Amino acid sequence: MAVERLPTTYGLAESDPEQVLIDRRGVAPEDLAQIERIMAEMGRMRQVERKIMRSSQRYMQLNETDMRALRQLIAAKNAGRVTTPSDLRAYLGISSASVTKMIDRLEANGHVRRSQHPTDRRSQCIEVTEQTHLAAREQMGRHHAKRFDVANSLTPEEREVVIRFLAQTTDALEWSLEKSSPQES
């Protein structure tokens, strides 16, 4: 019987042969194979997401932080919220100087425009231009729509299993990250 090749190079036997990280004793071979498939498919999805991101960045000639800022500006626009440079700074976790440079660069390239804040005369608001909004929708939105189609094809019960799996995986990764990061004083 031929061994099915996983969609990525991930494999427990190769990545943790001595079972230092994951004790696999007592896990049935068929369960182990299925778990490896899940991990491999998650890895494959991350690879495709990175390809999509790099393609969009090249198309729009932007870096990752710029793309994150534009996604936030588009979401705010769609929700009817005003976005200030301070909002972007907090969302992106970067300095005020970095936000100013980024906005200057995005404005110079026609991606955003500044205007007077509607209620605070001392502040500006930043909004994405229509041209960039449309380009982002074409580049990223169509990929997001495919995710929706897949989720929509599942039964409500299947979606609950996927939701629980993703939420618990995210929680476990966050816990792991917190435990491995040096404590800030």
Side-chain angles (χ1 to χ4, degrees), residues 6-7 15 29 32 35 55-56 58-59 71-72 84 90 115 122 131 134 143 146-147 161 172 179:
L6 294 174
S15 63
L32 192 56
I35 291 166
S55 171
S56 295
R58 278 191 307 272
Y59 175 79
R71 280 195 302 271
Q72 181 67 7
T84 65
S115 60
R122 297 168 296 156
Q131 180 181 358
L134 292 172
H143 300 298
K146 294 300 180 191
R147 289 182 191 168
V161 170
K179 294 299 177 194

Side-chain angles (χ1 to χ4, degrees), residues 63-93:
N63 65 39
E64 183 178 344
T65 303
D66 295 344
M67 292 291 286
R68 288 180 58 217
L70 290 178
R71 280 195 302 271
Q72 181 67 7
L73 290 168
I74 290 168
K77 182 177 182 176
N78 289 340
R81 290 189 317 263
V82 172
T83 304
T84 65
S86 294
D87 295 331
L88 286 177
R89 182 197 55 74
Y91 176 75
L92 297 170

Side-chain angles (χ1 to χ4, degrees), residues 10 12 36 44 47-48 63 73 78 86 89 93-94 99 104 126 136 151 167 171 178:
Y10 178 86
L12 286 172
E36 283 192 333
R44 188 169 73 97
Q47 288 174 343
V48 172
N63 65 39
L73 290 168
N78 289 340
S86 294
R89 182 197 55 74
I94 60 177
V99 167
D104 289 346
I126 311 302
D171 291 345
E178 288 170 7

Side-chain angles (χ1 to χ4, degrees), residues 44-54 147:
R44 188 169 73 97
M45 185 172 73
R46 281 192 306 271
Q47 288 174 343
V48 172
E49 286 175 332
R50 282 191 296 269
K51 285 180 186 176
I52 291 168
M53 181 58 73
R54 284 191 302 269
R147 289 182 191 168

